[in-house]
Amino acid sequence: MVLTDQVRSADTRDETHQRVRRRTVLALGAAAAVTGVAGCDREPPAPPPPDPLLPLATDAVALAGRYRLAAADLPDRAPTLTPIAEAHEAHAAELARLMATPTPPAPSAAPSADGADARLEALRAAEKAAYDAAVEACVDAPAHRAALVGSIAAARATHLEALK
Amino acid sequence: MTAELTAALAAEYAAIFAYGPIGVRLTGAEQAEARAAEAAHRRLRDALVLTLDAAALPTAAPAYALPEPVADRAAALRVAIEVERRAAAVWRAALPATTGGQRRQALDALTGCAIRATRWRRFADTAPLTVPFPGKTP
């Protein structure tokens, strides 16, 4: 309970950082604009590097779409596939909150003419790759992000178990 | 770091204790899964004992309160799910308190608990088989 609170306050801190960073970026932008007027050919400031959690969010959104489509095409597997799709959607939403950026747009999942076994095998492969990426992201994450990213990694492992 | 890992050790003692009465109520593949789960928790305990400073080591209590009496198979499966849920929560809490190799171990432990909970839900015919954020306490 206490630890949850710590995580939550750490999340809040992260949002504060984001706000501060945004303010800094705005201030830098304004300064650059002024400098630009005075000095003409100055380079615009480099955009901030993308958040290291962005690939995780992109994976979550893409996987959610693929599971939704598979659940629609394979109704007898929907009771397993739909909760997994919902989990990926919840992960994408939490990651977006942590990064203070909007959820990345969903790529349209391509319809598949493959049979059920091939569809599930493709989902397993995509889930395994996403799990591996989440493990490394958790190990590299700062303390205030480690719990959420760790839960996402563990959830992806349980999806592989549920697909067995 | 020590407080979180000490809490994890206490949870591992409790999990090892719980799988005794759980295993008694199960047969066949379910009993085999209980034995494998107990062995996994013993490995986690042993790794923690090696990691933690001997002076800070809590000792195992003679008995631990179970979430409910393990009267039959259905109760054994419910208790097994709950044991793994509790263990997952302490390992998740250890993630922010660790770095590098220790964080990887804590994540492996959290993942193992989450996978075992999924297997127990399948044995118990509980839907859904998965939760969105393993180890997260409401």
Side-chain angles (χ1 to χ4, degrees):
Chain A
M1 202 60 91
V2 171
L3 283 152
T4 313
D5 288 346
Q6 281 174 355
V7 170
R8 193 166 297 138
S9 71
D11 289 354
T12 313
R13 210 161 45 236
D14 195 73
E15 282 161 16
T16 311
H17 279 301
Q18 291 284 353
R19 271 199 298 278
V20 170
R21 205 181 319 158
R22 259 202 306 277
R23 269 206 301 276
T24 312
V25 169
L26 284 175
L28 285 173
V34 171
T35 323
V37 171
C40 294
D41 298 329
R42 290 288 176 91
E43 290 284 317
D51 193 296
L53 296 186
L54 194 58
L56 247 58
T58 309
D59 282 349
V61 170
L63 281 166
R66 292 182 66 168
Y67 278 98
R68 288 275 179 207
L69 201 63
D73 291 348
L74 311 170
D76 56 324
R77 300 303 297 257
T80 301
L81 300 175
T82 302
I84 298 178
E86 289 166 356
H88 283 301
E89 285 159 6
H91 295 169
E94 277 301 293
L95 287 167
R97 198 178 61 76
L98 198 59
M99 295 187 293
T101 58
T103 311
S108 49
S112 172
D114 288 343
D117 288 349
R119 292 286 293 278
L120 294 173
E121 194 47 48
L123 280 177
R124 270 186 216 108
E127 187 81 64
K128 174 69 169 65
Y131 161 71
D132 290 340
V135 168
E136 296 313 313
C138 176
V139 172
D140 294 340
H144 66 280
R145 291 177 158 192
L148 174 66
V149 179
S151 273
I152 291 174
R156 289 175 177 179
T158 65
H159 300 163
L160 288 168
E161 182 67 26
L163 287 175
K164 277 183 183 171
Chain B
M1 166 195 95
T2 308
E4 287 80 2
L5 293 184
T6 305
L9 180 56
E12 290 304 333
Y13 284 144
I16 293 163
F17 173 84
Y19 272 110
I22 290 168
V24 168
R25 297 294 180 186
L26 302 176
T27 56
E30 293 174 351
Q31 191 175 63
E33 179 63 27
R35 290 209 181 108
E38 183 178 339
H41 285 290
R42 287 186 188 279
R43 283 193 297 276
L44 291 171
R45 176 203 60 187
D46 293 346
L48 281 168
V49 167
L50 290 175
T51 302
L52 288 165
D53 184 0
L57 279 184
T59 50
Y64 289 86
L66 296 167
E68 65 173 300
V70 189
D72 54 17
R73 171 183 174 268
L77 295 175
R78 281 195 302 271
V79 171
I81 294 168
E82 178 61 15
V83 162
E84 297 299 347
R85 195 193 65 75
R86 290 181 185 182
V90 295
W91 283 111
R92 185 188 199 258
L95 293 174
T98 50
T99 56
Q102 275 194 340
R103 172 146 340 140
R104 199 179 285 276
Q105 284 182 356
L107 178 58
D108 278 350
L110 164 61
T111 303
C113 295
I115 289 174
R116 284 188 292 276
T118 295
R119 289 187 189 143
W120 288 127
R121 288 189 201 100
R122 175 174 275 145
F123 280 128
D125 245 336
T126 301
L129 293 176
T130 55
V131 296
F133 297 99
K136 188 174 183 185
T137 44

